Amino acid sequence: MTKHVIVVGAGNAALVAALAASDAGARVTILEKAPRDQRGGNTRYTAGLVRFAFDELTTVDELLGNDAATSGAATVEPYTAQTFTNALMSTSRGEADPDLTEWLVSESQDVLRWMKEHGIDFEFAQYLTTAEGGKTVYRNGLVLQTAGGGEGLTAMEFAAVERAGCEIRYGTAAVDLITDDLGGVAGVRVRDEAGRTEDLLGEVILGCGGFEANPEMRTRYLGPEWNLVKVRGVPYNTGELLDAALRVGAATYGHWADCHAAPIDANSPKQGSLDTGERTNRTSFLFGIAVNENAERFIDEGRDWAPQNYVAVGKTVLKQPNGVGFQLFDAKVAQLLDPRYDDATVYQADTLEELARMAGLDPAKLARTVDSYNKAVDDTTPFDSTTKDGKATRGIEPPKSNWAQRIDAPPYRLYPFTGGITFTFGGLRIDRGSRVLDAGTGNPIPGLYAIGEMTGGFFYHSYPAGSGLVCGSITGRAAGFAAAAAALGEVHAAAVV
């Protein structure tokens, strides 16, 4: 009897893998650790942003299913493959695996087309955009999101796998891998909510995320400052299957000592919830300054656009006293703040002294910091929120490289923020079939695949917003096709390197 494909996890990468395996004719079982009402992994908590390479605006229209891009209803800037590659290499400080990077960039557009064919709809991005001349401007590759954001994507993908006839087991955790006598993986051991265990045999696709929800593993790999960090997503990504893969000889890869984090409201819940999701993000820091509890600046707020810089800001704030910072804006930039600031924790006052007292900061120190910053602003360069304007500070540390305006127009607003962990960067080494490679031989481990946040080599140090869902889709689709072929006996999983 033909083996079937077992997909561990039920986020975007896992559901794409299940769809691909089903397309290829395999019988598919999806194991979701969460109960049904909490299904969907971290995907459900995202804004659904998808970064992809395109040269022609007609590509955007095809994904939208209308002519919004070419008709001029919005201003859309093309995003070339080279620009996407540069973003991945820049945020990773040149560490990203060149082959994996090329794979991600070259298939980014095609995988979205494939998803649309499977019932996934797209819409213009709602966040990280700007407005010019009465039109919304979409740049930096952040043009589209999945319809309805992460919740919408989850709903559409579950509908697709249900139409395809995939079996879904809720409240069922994969707790270990089952090996065969030849050094391959033959299946998984699962445990249901009642504590009953069962062995399932088949090709195994690991799509159950990293270890961001496991305090012990965070402390072990990321460091002590991550022990008590707020978790932006689900509580179920706890790394057991990463450890299980290492026990069967899987090769590790990527930046195990780092992760994706984001600047979030300081009063965000300790554990992410569907009520908050990504709405706690605070990513307009580039238009103001950020200070810590000592009323001192600690980052270059204008180093780059927020999609390329927000991860670094989210991690840096955790190193400040009590892991907290404050984003300070004046009235000149109020209209530039992300709509998510409308629901934020905020202090507002007509004087900096009053503002500092409201927030528990030293008024004299905040006044000195703002005065030093204002004196360092280059007034010869005009401010332009639509481009990296080069309007910088001179002679202070840290500098502000772009969008440096004096803070001098009341009322002033101060938003307390911290860093929240999203997913971890280190994972398992895979090839372009998403086959997990053996640490000793470098060859694929028969029967074992890893996708999405289970993999390493794509992201280091930081992360270009919108890349994660596309990475999960590309690796998931490859794993689904490869695992189905092996399950159906068309090619052995270890035969292609």
Side-chain angles (χ1 to χ4, degrees):
M1 179 172 149
T2 303
K3 292 193 298 180
H4 73 294
V5 173
I6 303 165
V7 180
V8 183
N12 170 66
L15 296 176
V16 166
L19 276 176
S22 181
D23 272 3
R27 182 166 60 92
V28 179
T29 296
I30 301 167
L31 304 176
E32 169 60 295
K33 185 191 290 187
R36 191 183 191 285
D37 64 345
Q38 297 180 46
R39 68 183 185 174
N42 278 350
T43 298
R44 196 169 169 186
Y45 290 68
T46 72
L49 291 169
V50 287
R51 184 183 293 244
F52 62 103
F54 66 98
D55 296 315
E56 304 295 334
L57 299 189
T58 52
T59 301
V60 177
D61 282 350
E62 289 167 9
L63 290 171
L64 285 171
N66 58 44
D67 67 350
T70 55
S71 69
T75 300
V76 178
E77 295 182 359
Y79 193 66
T80 67
Q82 188 59 58
T83 305
F84 193 177
T85 300
N86 291 345
L88 289 163
M89 285 300 175
S90 174
T91 54
S92 71
R93 304 179 196 173
E95 297 281 358
D97 182 288
D99 184 61
L100 294 179
T101 298
E102 195 279 331
W103 182 28
L104 172 56
V105 172
S106 65
E107 293 197 16
S108 61
Q109 181 187 135
D110 181 70
V111 79
L112 297 184
R113 292 179 185 273
W114 181 88
M115 291 170 71
K116 188 169 182 64
E117 292 171 359
H118 286 76
I120 309 306
D121 294 324
F122 299 91
E123 61 189 10
F124 275 132
Q126 295 180 11
Y127 303 116
L128 301 175
T129 62
T130 57
E132 299 171 29
K135 293 182 181 180
T136 303
V137 181
Y138 300 94
R139 55 167 58 94
N140 298 315
L142 294 180
V143 178
L144 299 181
Q145 65 180 39
T146 52
E151 284 229 58
L153 175 57
T154 301
M156 291 183 286
E157 289 184 328
F158 272 104
V161 298
E162 287 163 0
R163 286 194 302 270
C166 299
E167 177 191 17
I168 308 172
R169 295 194 184 186
Y170 296 106
T172 304
V175 295
D176 206 354
L177 296 172
I178 301 168
T179 56
D180 59 28
D181 294 336
L182 300 176
V185 168
V188 292
R189 179 159 295 126
V190 304
R191 184 173 58 238
D192 66 17
E193 292 175 306
R196 295 180 295 253
T197 60
E198 178 185 0
D199 289 348
L200 300 180
L201 301 182
E203 302 288 312
V204 177
I205 300 175
L206 299 179
C208 44
F211 55 86
E212 65 273 5
N214 184 327
E216 186 277 327
M217 290 186 75
R218 289 199 308 264
T219 304
R220 189 195 329 167
Y221 290 111
L222 304 180
E225 69 268 29
W226 295 93
N227 184 25
L228 300 177
V229 71
K230 295 176 186 287
V231 179
R232 299 178 63 221
V234 295
Y236 304 106
N237 292 0
T238 47
E240 291 89 350
L241 269 296
L242 279 170
D243 281 343
L246 300 186
R247 288 195 296 271
V248 302
T252 60
Y253 202 39
H255 202 171
W256 278 74
D258 215 336
C259 63
H260 176 295
I264 62 173
D265 195 299
N267 289 321
S268 299
K270 185 72 176 174
Q271 178 67 56
S273 72
L274 294 173
D275 293 331
T276 55
E278 43 68 40
R279 290 183 288 278
T280 62
N281 284 17
R282 302 292 174 254
T283 55
S284 294
F285 49 81
L286 63 165
F287 297 128
I289 64 171
V291 300
N292 59 23
E293 288 188 340
N294 296 325
E296 299 169 340
R297 290 179 60 244
F298 58 91
I299 54 171
D300 179 351
E301 303 91 346
R303 184 180 67 84
D304 206 337
W305 292 105
Q308 278 71 251
N309 196 28
Y310 78 116
V311 175
V313 173
K315 291 187 292 188
T316 303
V317 70
L318 288 171
K319 298 178 181 179
Q320 304 310 304
N322 294 314
V324 174
F326 300 83
Q327 297 177 21
L328 174 61
F329 306 99
D330 71 5
K332 295 194 299 293
V333 298
Q335 76 282 1
L336 297 176
L337 301 189
D338 186 301
R340 290 174 286 194
Y341 281 71
D342 292 345
D343 301 322
T345 304
V346 61
Y347 304 101
Q348 180 172 316
D350 288 330
T351 68
L352 291 174
E353 180 180 10
E354 181 184 3
L355 191 73
R357 293 188 190 283
M358 293 172 67
L361 303 180
D362 184 310
K365 286 185 177 180
L366 182 61
R368 285 196 297 271
T369 294
V370 173
D371 183 60
S372 296
Y373 166 78
N374 284 347
K375 289 177 178 176
V377 170
D378 175 12
D379 288 328
T380 64
T381 302
F383 173 81
D384 185 351
S385 66
T386 69
T387 186
K388 291 171 69 172
D389 60 6
K391 184 173 176 56
T393 56
R394 299 287 184 267
I396 60 170
E397 288 293 333
K400 186 172 183 184
S401 301
N402 294 282
W403 309 294
Q405 291 192 100
R406 292 172 183 259
I407 296 173
D408 57 9
Y412 304 103
R413 294 179 182 176
L414 199 63
Y415 295 85
F417 75 107
T418 186
I421 190 168
T422 312
F423 66 88
T424 44
F425 286 159
L428 306 178
R429 189 161 196 165
I430 61 170
D431 64 9
R432 286 203 184 195
S434 294
R435 304 169 182 87
V436 175
L437 303 184
D438 182 88
T441 67
N443 293 323
I445 297 174
L448 186 62
Y449 312 79
I451 57 179
E453 296 166 12
M454 295 286 293
T455 67
F458 289 98
F459 308 123
Y460 295 72
H461 300 291
S462 191
Y463 161 91
S467 308
L469 285 178
V470 175
C471 179
S473 299
I474 289 168
T475 55
R477 182 172 65 165
F481 287 147
L488 296 169
E490 295 171 11
V491 61
H492 195 274
V496 181
V497 179

